[in-house]
Amino acid sequence: MDTVTRCGFVAFCGKPNVGKSTLFNRLLERPLSAATGKPQTTRHNIKGILTEQSNQFVFVDTPGIHSGRTRALSRLLNANAFDAMSQVDVAMLVVEVGVWNARDEKVLEELRDAKIPVMLCANKIDRLPDQALILPYFAQLAEHEFLEYLPVSARSGEGCAVLKESLAKYIPKREHLFEADALTDRHERFFAEELIREQLLVQLDKELPYAMHVQVTDFQHQGERVHISAQILVERESQRKILLGKNGSRIGAVGQAARLRMGELLDLPVVLKLHVKVQPNWQRDPNILASYRGGI
């Protein structure tokens, strides 16, 4: 009997900080999407391609849906997420197990409006004091009639094999769109920017990382190493001083951690140079905003 070939787009959707990017990276087994445990870590729709025998999953990590945001960048990130929802075959609504509130309801409403099938993925089950709490939680949400109710831990990987088995039932029967060894359709320099921004979120407090934009200015493979130069845009001189730290200690720590993460992704040693530049109101710069636009 001939093997049925399947290929489909699956969007990871949800409010901020429910673990979408961590789950995305776990399934791909590579750090493609910035994941920090802080809201608004993801600013782009990022495709990750996973081919397992006859099944090809094109996972799409989306920005967390924010409510009441007035900045142009935040509005654009919401638009990107909603755009991705309308272009996929299946949506995975990621929530934190035991939690369901108006923000989760809002995302579900958008998914229903897009008229695509929705699976519920209850993440962070490793944090539950008793696994017996999962079934009552799902029972409370039965009225929403999700395709599947799936408990997972993106951090440990528990439940991820079952998640992929379940997804395979709902992606279309069609030829694969990408080569079997493809991981993404993005360029390496894009992920270099994402991993630098990830470390800004990890190592800086409060709102400061959200006022920064990363641009790779040079990316070259030289022999057995990758040489990368990038600039970090901030809005004020005071932010620049905080980012640099005493004698450059903080920017040095950001660079060292980002360099190691890049090496993990690229499988090569990385030489990284960072420069910090003050550019007031970069969040209103049409060229920068244009870099965030796009569906999948």
Side-chain angles (χ1 to χ4, degrees):
M1 187 174 69
D2 293 337
T3 301
V4 175
T5 301
R6 294 178 179 269
C7 178
F9 289 79
V10 181
F12 289 77
C13 306
K15 67 188 179 188
N17 207 25
V18 291
K20 297 184 300 297
S21 297
T22 303
L23 180 59
F24 177 86
N25 290 340
R26 167 65 66 178
L27 291 169
L28 294 167
E29 298 182 352
R30 299 292 286 275
L32 279 192
S33 192
T36 67
K38 293 183 178 180
Q40 202 177 314
T41 296
T42 302
R43 287 183 173 177
H44 300 267
N45 293 328
I46 300 173
K47 286 202 290 286
I49 302 154
L50 177 65
T51 305
E52 294 187 336
Q53 299 177 345
S54 61
N55 297 321
Q56 185 170 84
F57 305 97
V58 185
F59 296 129
V60 184
D61 189 23
T62 66
I65 305 299
H66 291 76
S67 59
R69 295 282 179 152
T70 58
R71 284 193 172 190
L73 179 58
S74 294
R75 293 197 303 271
L76 182 56
L77 299 188
N78 278 357
N80 283 349
F82 295 143
D83 191 24
M85 292 177 190
S86 67
Q87 300 181 54
V88 299
D89 301 296
V90 183
M92 181 71 67
L93 176 56
V94 183
V95 299
E96 182 176 346
V97 66
V99 178
W100 182 267
N101 57 33
R103 292 189 297 168
D104 298 302
E105 198 78 44
K106 171 64 175 175
V107 180
L108 179 58
E109 287 177 8
E110 296 289 344
L111 291 170
R112 297 300 192 200
D113 288 346
K115 294 181 169 52
I116 54 174
V118 183
M119 302 173 69
L120 182 72
C121 180
N123 189 25
K124 305 183 183 181
I125 61 172
D126 53 301
R127 298 184 181 181
L128 285 176
D130 186 351
Q131 299 292 299
L133 297 173
I134 296 174
L135 287 179
Y137 173 68
F138 284 158
Q140 293 174 10
L141 300 177
E143 64 183 280
H144 295 297
E145 298 182 347
F146 294 104
L147 289 177
E148 304 271 356
Y149 294 75
L150 301 167
V152 303
S153 168
R155 186 163 58 178
S156 71
E158 184 180 356
C160 288
V162 174
L163 183 151
K164 288 185 290 184
E165 291 175 6
S166 298
L167 275 174
K169 295 184 293 185
Y170 299 103
I171 59 176
K173 297 177 182 178
R174 65 182 172 201
E175 294 301 311
H176 294 176
L177 299 174
F178 300 91
E179 296 295 328
D181 60 350
L183 180 63
T184 183
D185 63 342
R186 293 274 192 175
H187 294 295
E188 292 175 332
R189 64 192 299 144
F190 167 81
F191 293 104
E193 292 174 346
E194 286 293 284
L195 293 175
I196 294 168
R197 196 168 58 79
E198 176 187 73
Q199 290 307 311
L200 293 174
L201 285 161
V202 168
Q203 300 197 36
L204 294 170
D205 293 330
K206 300 180 180 178
E207 294 297 318
L208 184 55
Y210 301 102
M212 298 180 179
H213 174 72
V214 180
Q215 295 176 326
V216 167
T217 55
D218 190 48
F219 189 109
Q220 296 185 37
H221 285 264
Q222 296 181 8
E224 296 299 316
R225 294 180 181 273
V226 180
H227 291 254
I228 302 171
S229 296
Q231 66 178 6
I232 302 170
L233 302 183
V234 297
E235 297 175 316
R236 299 188 299 274
E237 177 61 28
S238 60
Q239 295 170 340
R240 178 179 178 274
K241 291 179 179 178
I242 292 172
L243 176 55
L244 291 175
K246 186 176 181 180
N247 298 322
S249 59
R250 182 169 284 116
I251 192 65
V254 169
Q256 181 179 14
R259 178 179 58 80
L260 294 175
R261 292 279 281 164
M262 291 175 193
E264 180 184 352
L265 177 63
L266 300 172
D267 289 328
L268 286 172
V270 172
V271 177
L272 176 64
K273 296 180 180 179
L274 298 178
H275 173 69
V276 184
K277 178 182 176 181
V278 178
Q279 183 171 321
N281 298 319
W282 68 258
Q283 295 196 45
R284 299 179 185 175
D285 186 315
N287 292 324
I288 291 177
L289 288 175
S291 71
Y292 289 104
R293 290 192 177 92
I296 63 170

